Every structure is written in C-alpha cells, then in structure tokens.
Amino acid sequence: MLLTELLHPGILEALAGAGHGARVLLTDGHYPASTAIGPRARTVHLNLSPGVLPVPPVLDVLLRAVAVESAQVMAGPAGEPEPPAVAGYRAALAPAPVEALGRFAFYDAARSPDPALAIVTADTRTYANLLLTIGVRAEGTLTTP
C-alpha cells in the first residue's frame, strides 16, 4: 500500500513521468476540456457533480506531492476585481510567482505541448483555472518510512 495521500493511479502516473518545467492544468467545471488541453496531457476527470470536487482540495494534495516553480491563472475581464479563486491560489502558492493571463492567452498556454496532466474538477467558481509549472525537489526532501 502506498504511504502517500495521493492515490489516484492516473494522476500518480502522469506526475511520475513529468519533470522540471512540465505543467499541470487544474480546471473548473466550465473549462472547455475537450478542446483546450495540450496534446500530450493525460486528462483525469474528477467532475462527478457540480461542486464535487473543486480545485482547492486537489491543489492541496498536489502541493504535497510536487514542487511548484510558478503558476498561471485565468484573469477575469479587464477592469473587474481579481476573482476570489485567484486570490486563494496566490495565497496557497506563495512564494511562487502567479501570473494572470487573459482567457484566450490561458487557453493557448494550456494547449501547448508542456502540460503533462490535466485535472478537470467540478469547481463552479468562475475563473478557477490554474496552470502549475513543476519545479525541482529541494535537497533532503526524500522521506523514508
């Protein structure tokens, strides 16, 4: 039995094959997953029912499994306040830089060959999409039972 809290076989496989610079896309339930995901990404659907499972608990588990170097979020329309989901991501990812991209620029980044994994959630918040760039493991972070 695995000693990690991350147990989803598809997510584990995709992360194990990803390395420094690979990306992980976390989408809300509104995201056009059939057309706006990179060609190499393994897609995992966790969108059972609206609101079950949102991005934050998935992100929490991922942050304990991989190092994050930076992130990109989907920004709302110009002139509108930053969406609450984005503020939450900035707090969860600090001190990693979080860059806001317009909707279509975000889609372009998500369609690039860099994403190794796309996780489709049932988050009902608007602009709750997040693109993580995997960093490197710090020395001394390997643990043994």
Side-chain angles (χ1 to χ4, degrees), residues 25 27 30-39 43 45 47 107 111 118 120:
L25 173 65
T27 77
H30 311 286
Y31 193 84
S34 64
T35 60
I37 293 176
T43 302
H45 294 272
N47 52 338
Y107 290 154
R111 285 185 184 112
V120 180

Side-chain angles (χ1 to χ4, degrees), residues 120-136:
V120 180
T121 75
D123 205 318
T124 57
R125 299 172 300 162
T126 55
Y127 302 103
N129 304 297
L130 179 62
L131 188 58
L132 305 172
T133 300
I134 296 174
V136 296

Side-chain angles (χ1 to χ4, degrees), residues 49-137:
S49 177
V52 181
L53 186 66
V55 172
V58 176
L59 177 60
D60 289 344
V61 172
L62 288 177
L63 290 176
R64 289 189 290 278
V66 296
V68 174
E69 179 176 285
S70 63
Q72 295 173 314
V73 293
M74 184 184 286
E80 288 192 11
E82 184 169 78
V86 173
Y89 298 155
R90 287 188 192 284
L93 294 166
V98 178
E99 176 187 14
L101 299 177
R103 180 174 151 208
F104 295 106
F106 187 91
Y107 290 154
D108 288 343
R111 285 185 184 112
S112 80
D114 294 332
L117 172 64
I119 301 174
V120 180
T121 75
D123 205 318
T124 57
R125 299 172 300 162
T126 55
Y127 302 103
N129 304 297
L130 179 62
L131 188 58
L132 305 172
T133 300
I134 296 174
V136 296
R137 180 198 313 249

